[in-house]
Amino acid sequence: MKPNHFHIKKLIPWLLYILLPLAILHLYLSTLSSPATSPNDTASTSVSVSSSSSDSQTVAEQHPSWTSCNFSDGQWVPHSGGPLYSGTACKTIKKGQNCMEHGRPDAGYLHWRWQPRRCSLPPFDPAAFLDLIAGKHLAFVGDSMARNQLESLLCLLAVAEEPDLVYRDGEENKFRRWVFRRRNATVSIFWSPFLVKGVEKDEPAGRKHNTLFLETADERWAADLEGIDVVLFSAGHWYLLPAIYHEHGVVLGCHACPDFNLTEIGFFDVFRKAVRTALGEVSRRQNSSGEKLVLVTTFSPAHFEGEWDKAGACSKKEPYREGEKEMGYTDALMRRIAVEEVAASAAAADSRGGGKVKMEALDVTEMALLRPDGHPGPYMHPHPFAGGEVRDRVQNDCVHWCLPGPIDSWNEMLLQVIRRWKKGSH
């Protein structure tokens, strides 16, 4: 992997934790976050998971030999058993997501399992997962949600075998690689919040917006594609932030940029272009001898209620019941874009490459929507209410997921998708 050249002080990761939730909150409270009301708007997705079923069926119809179960159509059910790992036993959890170690007093959020309606989703089997990726390289590419899912997977796999960290670039751990030596299995993370080439905002340096080049994949991950067997893209939240967009040498417009004389074009079409570019780059660089599985984890909704730095911003203790929470327009459309682009790119890859590249959406949006109880909230910091202190203002993370927590179910789905791919490739 190429070095990551960011001149960022140690304070910046904490500033990003502050700025990103705040930006997301403002957008969620704007008209973008209001539920879609038109019955003709296919982006209006309710918790009844009907629309996710139709989108997933489209993919299934195109790939009947290896897509047989819509894991996204289901519900959270009580589970008497606990997680496979704990916050104290796993060594790779980012501090801000280690809710147990940081003193979260309730544990009910750990006792729910995702149950698909028309098939079973077996509990995660660490040894079986490692057997599936033996001799292979699994790479997570994207933003902090990609890292969240990666760290969940590492904790789950460590139950069977501890990973060895063999590569680390930079103090912020944005590019890392682990090896499970008994099976020669490699798992890595590539920081790429836009998937395409981009320059990130840097407030201390006076750069208040992101700059994206939509026709060019981020070479920091694309350059390593030849050695990657399974690539999982997970991005989206950074698209809600102010940005200027370029394509083929032309400035298309911007999002949330009142200081510039540019056309406001939002971020939905831009996100679509970026996903299309990333998927197309995988197909373009695929050699004729190997096979590759490409996955896109769909958008994971945030759960801010009220002000992001107010106590109780995401304080629920149980999942939403079915029908209790309607999906907002932004969440639904970001999910739909990913599903549609995966389906289109999968069909194109099949026609060009004879099945060498398989693509699928790991559709987690609705199952994530139903879990407001699974975020660190104020426990992104250690013991925020130590000594019974009552604080009116406290920083909350209502975007990422506690580890262990609901995101472990994403990797239960991932195991089954990789298993189907392996069976179909022999």
Side-chain angles (χ1 to χ4, degrees):
M1 284 180 280
K2 297 186 177 181
N4 181 25
H5 301 292
F6 291 111
H7 305 291
I8 301 178
K9 303 296 183 182
K10 290 184 178 180
L11 180 61
I12 296 303
W14 293 106
L15 288 176
L16 284 177
Y17 262 127
I18 295 173
L19 294 172
L20 180 57
L22 180 59
I24 292 171
L25 173 62
H26 282 299
L27 283 161
Y28 270 72
L29 295 179
S30 70
T31 55
L32 281 176
S33 66
S34 60
T37 55
S38 171
N40 298 318
D41 188 351
T42 55
S44 176
T45 311
S46 70
V47 178
S48 65
V49 300
S50 57
S51 68
S52 69
S53 300
S54 62
D55 284 338
S56 296
Q57 282 181 340
T58 300
V59 179
E61 289 167 0
Q62 293 180 4
H63 306 276
S65 63
W66 63 286
T67 303
S68 58
C69 175
N70 178 10
F71 292 122
S72 65
D73 179 16
Q75 60 185 337
W76 291 99
V77 296
H79 176 57
S80 58
L84 284 180
Y85 64 95
S86 69
T88 54
C90 183
K91 302 173 183 177
T92 53
I93 300 177
K94 182 178 174 63
K95 293 295 185 183
Q97 278 101 61
N98 199 334
C99 303
M100 299 169 71
E101 191 175 78
H102 283 186
R104 179 169 171 172
D106 62 302
Y109 69 98
L110 299 172
H111 298 284
W112 297 85
R113 286 204 72 241
W114 181 252
Q115 177 58 59
R117 298 185 199 283
R118 297 174 180 84
C119 56
S120 63
L121 180 61
F124 191 87
D125 184 335
F129 194 104
L130 287 170
D131 288 341
L132 288 171
I133 63 169
K136 298 190 179 299
H137 182 181
L138 163 62
F140 289 76
V141 177
D143 56 20
S144 56
M145 299 307 296
R147 183 178 61 211
N148 203 179
Q149 186 176 354
L150 160 92
E151 291 174 349
S152 161
L153 179 64
L154 290 175
C155 289
L156 291 165
L157 295 179
V159 174
E161 181 183 345
E162 286 285 347
D164 288 338
L165 180 65
V166 296
Y167 179 85
R168 174 183 175 184
D169 181 15
E171 62 185 27
E172 295 176 62
N173 292 327
K174 290 185 174 181
F175 298 84
R176 289 174 290 169
R177 182 173 294 173
W178 295 263
V179 171
F180 294 85
R181 298 197 182 276
R182 291 207 300 268
R183 295 170 175 84
N184 189 29
T186 301
V187 179
S188 60
I189 179 71
F190 293 78
W191 174 259
S192 183
F194 316 117
L195 305 182
V196 295
K197 180 181 177 182
V199 179
E200 295 175 29
K201 65 198 293 283
D202 185 350
E203 299 262 356
R207 191 167 60 246
K208 298 181 180 180
H209 62 275
N210 299 311
T211 303
L212 280 65
F213 302 88
L214 299 172
E215 80 281 6
T216 305
D218 186 348
E219 195 66 16
R220 294 176 299 179
W221 61 262
D224 278 20
L225 275 173
E226 185 176 351
I228 297 173
D229 302 285
V230 181
V231 56
L232 184 148
F233 294 116
S234 179
H237 284 278
W238 277 66
Y239 279 85
L240 279 64
L241 301 178
I244 296 176
Y245 309 123
H246 298 251
E247 187 175 36
H248 301 296
V250 176
V251 177
L252 295 182
C254 65
H255 169 60
C257 55
D259 296 335
F260 297 91
N261 186 25
L262 295 172
T263 303
E264 168 66 50
I265 62 173
F267 54 84
F268 292 126
D269 288 342
V270 170
F271 179 63
R272 183 183 293 279
K273 287 175 180 287
V275 174
R276 187 177 301 169
T277 294
L279 295 175
E281 191 70 10
V282 177
S283 292
R284 187 179 72 81
R285 297 201 186 200
Q286 179 66 9
N287 59 51
S288 59
S289 60
E291 295 183 339
K292 200 181 302 292
L293 174 62
V294 185
L295 301 167
V296 177
T297 299
T298 61
F299 196 72
S300 179
H303 289 96
F304 289 99
E305 296 183 357
E307 299 177 61
W308 67 275
D309 63 344
K310 188 81 170 176
C314 49
S315 59
K316 284 189 166 48
K317 300 295 190 295
E318 291 186 351
Y320 286 121
R321 296 183 299 275
E322 185 173 341
E324 183 179 357
K325 179 68 172 179
E326 185 176 0
M327 185 177 291
Y329 181 83
T330 297
D331 299 332
L333 187 49
M334 291 292 278
R335 173 202 162 271
R336 194 184 80 179
I337 288 169
V339 170
E340 290 177 348
E341 288 305 312
V342 168
S345 294
D350 279 353
S351 64
R352 289 194 307 265
K356 293 293 184 180
V357 179
K358 296 295 185 183
M359 298 184 179
E360 183 170 352
L362 197 68
D363 191 354
V364 305
T365 305
E366 296 205 36
M367 59 193 296
L369 174 72
L370 298 177
R371 291 306 304 272
D373 57 321
H375 301 290
Y379 297 97
M380 62 180 290
H381 297 297
H383 307 283
F385 308 109
E389 178 184 4
V390 178
R391 298 168 59 185
D392 184 53
R393 295 288 173 179
V394 58
Q395 190 178 348
N396 288 275
D397 182 357
C398 305
V399 179
H400 303 94
W401 300 97
C402 291
L403 295 179
I407 199 169
D408 294 332
S409 293
W410 292 205
N411 289 318
E412 291 180 341
M413 293 169 58
L414 177 60
L415 188 158
Q416 298 306 318
V417 171
I418 294 176
R419 175 173 282 157
R420 289 200 305 245
W421 170 63
K422 290 273 289 191
K423 287 182 178 178
S425 62
H426 294 298

